[in-house]
């Protein structure tokens, strides 16, 4: 298993100069190669592989215009081509969008393989530098001298912070002891997550809390003259504000996902189409501020390492409208209705807790290989674009078909 250790770095002026030149060369190689690939594909209808891209890099380094590319280590330049090739592979497979050009105002990074660095006794020496790079180790339980990194990535944020990331091949961690507990998780905006146990996890909403300060910094940036020193300072303040928002969100998501994985053997979550939901202009900012997609990825990889099971429940399953006690399916349920009473069994439901219970039942039914056991309703969508869900335990037929997923549900 590959593990990454990321920590703050503090390069001296000489190392900073070398790394800044390396960042610029990596950016130029990426942009030139990307433009060449684009022109070659549209002009000759030919795709480009890594060997051809590497030959193109060798050719442009031999020109007088770009001869200064030879002043930095060739390892980060070759790694930039490998990353670009991987980006195009993902694009042709339909997993990501078309690769974009790199900007000098964004995050800068350079990756070194074993031939571009030397790591001995916890000291890191990069190519073209003479002194070890100073960094602060942030994992007390791991000795930095004991790791054997395969790659080292040096990065600089737009706000000016430097980082070093060590990629290490390590044996996978052991499975956590079984707890015998299963939980269903319903994600929302008012409460970030509601579990089938009745626990409500309030969301920090870091962007909403810092939005006024961020807007003020952005207005100052807009008033500055382009190319001025004051504009560079204002841009750094905007970048720091974004970094604080991003760090606050990531800290919350890590803590919430870790607690769920440690306390439950089975976790059922709704398979939300976040990319489609953010197209709603009224809720796009609030949905993006929650970080549902990142939360889902964190739970998935942490559960895989801990030996837990994560079961996605189909997004078309009407978890909020279905009574978790008897399976009655409401014909309509507006988003403003937070509590409702089942017309059949007269059970009073909290909308989110009821949805979490149904998600857990649907997830366990999928795990058993019988999706129809989830209160009698279909968990997976089949057939025509507008199917009708069967509710076996419902004494009175529903008056509407399966409802589509609405915002925050």
């Amino acid at each position: 298993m590959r593990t990454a250790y990321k920590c703050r770095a503090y390069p001296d002026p000489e190392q900073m100069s070398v790394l800044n030149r390396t960042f610029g060369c990596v950016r130029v190689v990426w942009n030139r190669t990307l433009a060449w690939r684009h022109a070659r594909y549209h002009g000759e209808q030919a795709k480009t592989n890594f060997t051809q891209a590497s030959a193109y890099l060798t050719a442009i380094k031999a020109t007088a215009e770009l001869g200064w590319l030879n002043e930095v280590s060739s390892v980060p330049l070759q790694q930039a081509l490998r990353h670009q090739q991987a980006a195009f592979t993902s694009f042709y497979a339909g997993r990501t969008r078309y690769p974009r050009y790199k900007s000098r105002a964004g995050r800068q990074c350079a990756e070194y393989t074993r031939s571009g660095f030397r790591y001995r006794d916890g000291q890191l020496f990069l190519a073209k530098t003479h002194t070890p790079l100073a960094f602060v180790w942030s994992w007390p339980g791991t000795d930095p001298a004991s790791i054997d990194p395969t790659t080292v990535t040096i990065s600089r944020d737009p706000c000016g912070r430097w980082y070093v990331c060590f990629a290490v091949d390590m044996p996978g961690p052991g499975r956590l002891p079984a707890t015998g507990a299963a939980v269903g998780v319903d994600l929302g905006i008012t409460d970030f997550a509601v579990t089938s146990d009745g626990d409500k996890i309030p969301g920090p909403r870091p962007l909403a809390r810092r939005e006024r300060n961020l807007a003020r910094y952005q207005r100052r940036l807009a008033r500055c003259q382009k190319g001025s020193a004051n504009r560079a300072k204002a841009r750094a303040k905007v970048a720091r504000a974004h970094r604080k928002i991003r760090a606050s969100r990531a800290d919350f998501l890590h803590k919430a996902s870790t607690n769920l994985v440690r306390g439950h053997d089975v976790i059922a979550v709704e398979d939300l189409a976040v990319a489609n939901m953010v197209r709603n202009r009224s809720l796009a900012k609030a949905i993006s501020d929650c970080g549902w997609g990142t939360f889902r990825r964190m739970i998935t990889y942490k559960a895989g390492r801990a030996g837990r099971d994560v079961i996605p429940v189909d997004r078309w399953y009407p978890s909020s409208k279905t009574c978790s006690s008897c399976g009655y399916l409401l014909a309509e349920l507006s988003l403003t209705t937070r509590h409702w009473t089942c017309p059949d069994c007269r059970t009073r439901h909290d909308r989110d807790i009821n949805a979490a219970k149904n998600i857990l039942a649907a997830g366990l039914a999928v795990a058993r290989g019988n999706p129809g056991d989830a209160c009698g309703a279909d968990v997976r969508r089949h057939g025509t674009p507008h199917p009708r869900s069967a509710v076996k335990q419902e004494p009175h037929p529903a008056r509407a078909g399966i409802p589509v997923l609405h915002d925050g549900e």
Side-chain angles (χ1 to χ4, degrees), residues 3 77 83 134 146 161 201 226 326 374 386:
T3 302
L77 308 185
H83 292 320
S146 63
R161 286 194 172 192
I201 305 175
K226 291 185 178 181
C326 66
H386 301 284

Side-chain angles (χ1 to χ4, degrees), residues 18-27 73 75-77 79-80 83 107-113 126 151-156 162-165:
V18 172
L19 291 174
N20 283 330
R21 288 201 306 270
T22 304
F23 293 156
C25 293
V26 169
R27 187 175 61 251
S73 173
V75 175
L77 308 185
Q79 289 300 104
H83 292 320
R107 175 179 176 271
Q108 309 295 315
C109 67
E111 184 179 78
Y112 295 82
T113 58
L126 299 175
T151 62
V152 170
T153 302
I154 309 296
S155 61
R156 189 193 69 219
W162 293 79
Y163 297 91
V164 55
C165 183

Side-chain angles (χ1 to χ4, degrees), residues 89-108:
T89 301
S90 299
F91 167 72
Y92 289 131
R95 295 189 297 268
T96 58
R97 59 183 177 180
Y98 192 82
R100 296 178 295 176
Y101 292 98
K102 293 185 180 295
S103 170
R104 66 176 62 189
R107 175 179 176 271
Q108 309 295 315

Side-chain angles (χ1 to χ4, degrees), residues 345-358:
C345 65
R346 309 306 298 174
T347 303
R348 183 70 173 172
H349 291 297
D350 179 285
R351 176 196 185 101
D352 298 328
I353 296 178
N354 176 69
K357 291 180 179 179
N358 286 326

Side-chain angles (χ1 to χ4, degrees), residues 4 121 123 166 172 192 233 257 260 286 309 329 351-352 368:
D121 299 327
Q123 289 188 325
F166 301 93
F192 173 78
K233 296 177 184 177
S257 58
L260 285 175
D309 293 326
L329 177 64
R351 176 196 185 101
D352 298 328
R368 291 192 297 265

